[in-house]
Amino acid sequence: MAFTGKQLTTRLDADGTLTVQIVPKTWDAPTGSQVLVQVEATPINPSDLGLLFASADTANAVYSPGKVVAKMPEGATRAMAARHGMDMPAGNEAAGVVVAAGDSPAAQALMGKRVACVPGTAYASYAYAEAGMCLPVDESVTPAQAASSFVNPMTALGFVETMRLEGFTGLVHAAAASNLGQMLVRICQEDNVPLVNIVRSEEQVALLKGLGATHVLNMTEPGFQAALTDAIHETGAMLGFDPIGGGTLAGQILAAMEASASRGAAFSRYGSSVAKKVYIYGALDLGPTILNRAFGLTWDLGGWLLTPFMAKAGMETVGRMRARVARDLTTTFASHYKAQVSLEGMLEAAAVAEYNARRTGEKYLVVPTA
Amino acid sequence: MAFTGKQLTTRLDADGTLTVQIVPKTWDAPTGSQVLVQVEATPINPSDLGLLFASADTANAVYSPGKVVAKMPEGATRAMAARHGMDMPAGNEAAGVVVAAGDSPAAQALMGKRVACVPGTAYASYAYAEAGMCLPVDESVTPAQAASSFVNPMTALGFVETMRLEGFTGLVHAAAASNLGQMLVRICQEDNVPLVNIVRSEEQVALLKGLGATHVLNMTEPGFQAALTDAIHETGAMLGFDPIGGGTLAGQILAAMEASASRGAAFSRYGSSVAKKVYIYGALDLGPTILNRAFGLTWDLGGWLLTPFMAKAGMETVGRMRARVARDLTTTFASHYKAQVSLEGMLEAAAVAEYNARRTGEKYLVVPTA
């Protein structure tokens, strides 16, 4: 039995032309431990956009129904030589119904059920998924509620696990009003983890305060650096997570940690010896990271990514995290979307302009069945 | 019995005035496990300059015999509030003769001997030192040969130990023509550690090639980035040490590591999963560190400092490192100086202008007995 439908593909050619389009596709019946999921809802996360459009000039692209052709900058084209000429599917995660299953008992057990899954090919009518990676959800859970049950929830839980693994006792989070940031606020409340939230507007301050967050700082306000230092001093939060990447913020967080650690301490020309660390886990700002190194010589800045974290944390921890997500999917791990679009709607100029700007509170949900 | 002489002190006042001067001082006889060393030679290392002058405007300072008064920028003055109003001694390391000793057998055993030591107060006629931290040197070793037996040798050995501790198998070193860099070239030859040296001129290339270094790259040449990637690919060197700090170099090293790790690999939107790390261990350039993050999400940048490294490495490793320094002081760990000056000569405008510029090959040695 075969299933016919549509799939989004993205192709970068060596000449810098990026083509994102919806093409017809047929899926054969799955085998072994795989299931075939009819995709009902799939979010557009920043981690998807890096593959979908990367740094292509979508403002000056050519849009036709179900197709976008854009120009990629020369440096980025060169850096992505390994994908030249390949029509790549995209879409990390989704919710949908299992319409066919391989022979394995685990796959067969999922037949007809709604699951959350991580196929990596979710911008499509159907997607293959490993049965063991699927999360069956209750009848009462909608596709929209189940669509984002992997990337954001596991990342937010991963921050807290990383904190514990590395011996820190509090967190600083930038761009904290995002869906992920709101999850982190709720997780930290449940787990009694001190959290300093950094946001970019008074509306976002109000949003997080409304969730019961204690420390919410507006980085566009004068006095932000002093307020950040105070909040870090009060919470002892010496581990930060920053999805922005570009600009001075990561360095400002380290400087505030250093200023807190140095309070009342004797002068040291090398700075404090208290461990302080910031992880960059995204690239909302593709510009350079600028570190004004006012934080001594005991500091650390690194990249953070979910997959290697899970490999390091191990099966038991990951299993515990997934069980928590399944249990609290519609509460702690609830997501919000600005708009729902079809596969074709996803490639309209106005939609691309909005979701590709990666602004907080403007996340899109794709509904391939629409 | 008391010893009279002179000592350099540096004081930063809250109004931003930095006063570095030579003042008379009397040393009482040492007690317990301490010895009193008559300082014969003490180097001016970059790590000393951070305390001596920091970012003060030495070009427009007022120089009088044995005294410099300079203006510190406002931000730096504020950042160093913990040292306001204090006359602080300086000078990390020295060589000299033990002229008095406390009662402990270890101290008594050093009487009359020439030692290398790490008093932290070496810009003076005399300095107290812990007997256990003193390294007795052979009669045939001159003060100039013994003066730099701690900071640079232990730092260079510390790089190799850090590499082993963290599971890396090769090193990249920036500003590699320095005294420290030359030591590292010799250590890596002796230990068969692949080393990629980054320097800033053809003279420096020739200098390191003359020592037998295999990979020496001039960062001012066009094609540097490609050559760096090739050298990293050939050596597998995924750990870098950078004393410059400011500018784009640390990020360029990470980008070259990433480009090497991605060669021949399938495309990944998150970059390669190979661990890559750069430590910033100095601030030859006080400007911001600028990271053009073309190196995926598996990377790490941190500060490196000798003291916490030694604490982490443990007594046995540190003991082994010190024994090696003592054995090879005049060969592997030989240092070179551009000029020798007295304590007063150290505070003359022309001398300050030269050594405070921290240029490779322009290190000064202070001879307080001159």
Side-chain angles (χ1 to χ4, degrees), chain A residues 107-193:
Chain A
Q108 284 294 324
L110 294 175
M111 258 309 287
K113 294 211 169 129
R114 177 166 293 143
V115 296
C117 57
V118 200
T121 60
Y123 301 145
S125 307
Y126 298 91
Y128 296 110
E130 275 296 313
M133 289 293 286
C134 289
L135 206 64
V137 298
D138 284 346
E139 286 291 318
S140 61
V141 175
T142 67
Q145 286 175 317
S148 293
S149 51
F150 188 78
V151 177
N152 278 342
M154 294 297 274
T155 299
L157 287 172
F159 293 171
V160 177
E161 294 292 339
T162 298
M163 180 196 81
R164 290 180 184 132
L165 273 173
E166 300 191 7
F168 292 97
T169 57
L171 294 172
V172 177
H173 189 220
S178 64
N179 272 322
L180 193 162
Q182 295 178 44
M183 290 178 197
L184 189 61
V185 166
R186 293 185 288 255
I187 293 166
C188 287
Q189 283 170 343
E190 293 165 15
D191 291 11
N192 282 314
V193 171

Side-chain angles (χ1 to χ4, degrees), chain B residues 49 77 115 174 252 275 295 360:
Chain B
L49 292 169
T77 299
V115 297
Q252 287 178 265
F295 36 72
T360 300

Side-chain angles (χ1 to χ4, degrees), chain B residues 13 39 46 111 150 159 161 182 185 214 246-247 257 269 278 281 302 310 338 342 352:
Chain B
D13 290 315
V39 179
M111 260 308 288
F150 188 77
F159 293 172
E161 294 292 340
Q182 295 178 44
V185 166
T214 311
M257 290 172 172
R269 76 195 88 170
V278 171
Y281 72 94
M310 291 195 305
K338 170 145 192 201
S342 66
V352 171

Side-chain angles (χ1 to χ4, degrees), chain A residues 247-262:
Chain A
T248 60
L249 186 63
Q252 287 177 264
I253 296 171
L254 288 170
M257 290 172 172
E258 174 70 13
S260 161
S262 301

Side-chain angles (χ1 to χ4, degrees), chain A residues 47 51 80 82-83 92 245-246 267 269-270 280 283 285 287-293 297 299-305, chain B residues 47 51 80 82-83 92 245-246 267 269-270 280 283 285 287-293 297 299-305:
Chain A
S47 55
L51 180 62
M80 293 186 281
R83 62 172 284 195
N92 278 318
F267 175 72
R269 77 194 89 170
Y270 304 119
I280 291 178
D285 178 346
T289 308
I290 295 164
L291 305 173
N292 296 298
R293 301 184 314 290
L297 278 168
W299 59 276
D300 201 86
L301 179 72
W304 193 96
L305 191 59
Chain B
S47 55
L51 180 61
M80 292 187 283
R83 61 171 285 196
N92 278 316
F267 175 71
R269 76 195 88 170
Y270 304 118
I280 291 178
D285 178 344
T289 308
I290 295 163
L291 306 174
N292 296 298
R293 299 184 316 288
L297 279 168
W299 58 277
D300 201 87
L301 179 71
W304 193 94
L305 190 59

Side-chain angles (χ1 to χ4, degrees), chain B:
Chain B
M1 188 178 164
F3 297 80
T4 58
K6 301 173 284 190
Q7 183 173 53
L8 176 147
T9 62
T10 173
R11 187 182 75 238
L12 175 63
D13 290 315
D15 65 1
T17 307
L18 178 82
T19 306
V20 184
Q21 59 187 332
I22 312 295
V23 295
K25 182 175 162 75
T26 301
W27 286 262
D28 292 327
T31 58
S33 61
Q34 287 209 313
V35 297
L36 187 68
V37 176
Q38 181 166 26
V39 179
E40 296 177 304
T42 165
I44 305 177
N45 289 315
S47 55
D48 295 308
L49 292 169
L51 180 61
L52 262 182
F53 293 111
S55 53
D57 181 8
T58 51
N60 297 299
V62 177
Y63 291 85
S64 44
K67 188 168 181 176
V68 183
V69 178
K71 196 77 196 162
M72 190 77 78
E74 213 178 297
T77 299
R78 233 186 355 256
M80 292 187 283
R83 61 171 285 196
H84 288 177
M86 297 165 67
D87 286 300
M88 304 184 75
N92 278 316
E93 62 183 341
V97 172
V98 174
V99 293
D103 292 336
S104 89
Q108 284 294 322
L110 294 174
M111 260 308 288
K113 292 206 171 137
R114 177 167 293 145
V115 297
C117 57
V118 201
T121 59
Y123 300 145
S125 306
Y126 298 91
Y128 296 109
E130 275 296 312
M133 288 293 287
C134 289
L135 206 66
V137 298
D138 284 347
E139 286 291 318
S140 62
V141 175
T142 67
Q145 286 176 318
S148 293
S149 51
F150 188 77
V151 177
N152 278 342
M154 295 296 274
T155 299
L157 287 171
F159 293 172
V160 178
E161 294 292 340
T162 297
M163 178 195 82
R164 291 180 183 130
L165 273 174
E166 300 192 7
F168 292 97
T169 56
L171 294 172
V172 177
H173 189 219
S178 65
N179 272 322
L180 193 163
Q182 295 178 44
M183 291 178 196
L184 189 61
V185 166
R186 293 186 289 254
I187 292 166
C188 287
Q189 284 170 342
E190 293 166 15
D191 291 11
N192 283 314
V193 171
L195 173 66
V196 178
N197 298 279
I198 300 172
V199 298
R200 278 180 277 204
S201 70
E202 285 309 305
E203 291 70 31
Q204 293 175 345
V205 171
L207 172 67
L208 293 193
K209 292 265 184 189
L211 295 179
T214 311
H215 300 279
V216 190
L217 305 173
N218 182 347
M219 64 186 273
T220 68
E221 287 283 308
F224 164 68
Q225 190 66 25
L228 180 60
T229 302
D230 287 344
I232 288 172
H233 202 69
E234 204 170 309
T235 56
M238 291 290 173
L239 179 63
F241 285 90
D242 169 28
I244 302 171
T248 60
L249 185 62
Q252 287 178 265
I253 296 171
L254 287 171
M257 290 172 172
E258 174 70 12
S260 161
S262 302
R263 270 195 197 167
F267 175 71
S268 162
R269 76 195 88 170
Y270 304 118
S272 97
S273 59
V274 173
K276 53 201 85 77
K277 188 166 191 171
V278 171
Y279 279 115
I280 291 178
Y281 72 94
L284 296 179
D285 178 344
L286 293 165
T289 308
I290 295 163
L291 306 174
N292 296 298
R293 299 184 316 288
F295 36 72
L297 279 168
T298 302
W299 58 277
D300 201 87
L301 179 71
W304 193 94
L305 190 59
L306 181 56
T307 314
F309 161 73
M310 291 195 305
K312 190 160 71 177
M315 288 292 288
E316 193 185 320
T317 300
V318 171
R320 179 165 43 78
M321 290 162 66
R322 281 175 59 89
R324 183 169 174 180
V325 175
R327 189 190 68 197
D328 300 332
L329 192 53
T330 59
T331 51
T332 306
F333 302 103
S335 289
H336 305 282
Y337 304 96
K338 170 145 192 201
Q340 296 198 1
V341 287
S342 66
L343 280 172
E344 288 79 8
M346 187 181 168
L347 297 189
E348 286 173 9
V352 171
E354 195 161 70
Y355 67 69
N356 201 33
R358 300 161 162 84
R359 282 186 294 262
T360 300
E362 302 195 351
K363 180 164 287 196
Y364 272 52
L365 187 69
V366 182
V367 179
T369 49

Side-chain angles (χ1 to χ4, degrees), chain A residues 88-111:
Chain A
M88 304 183 76
N92 278 318
E93 61 183 342
V97 172
V98 174
V99 293
D103 293 335
S104 89
Q108 284 294 324
L110 294 175
M111 258 309 287

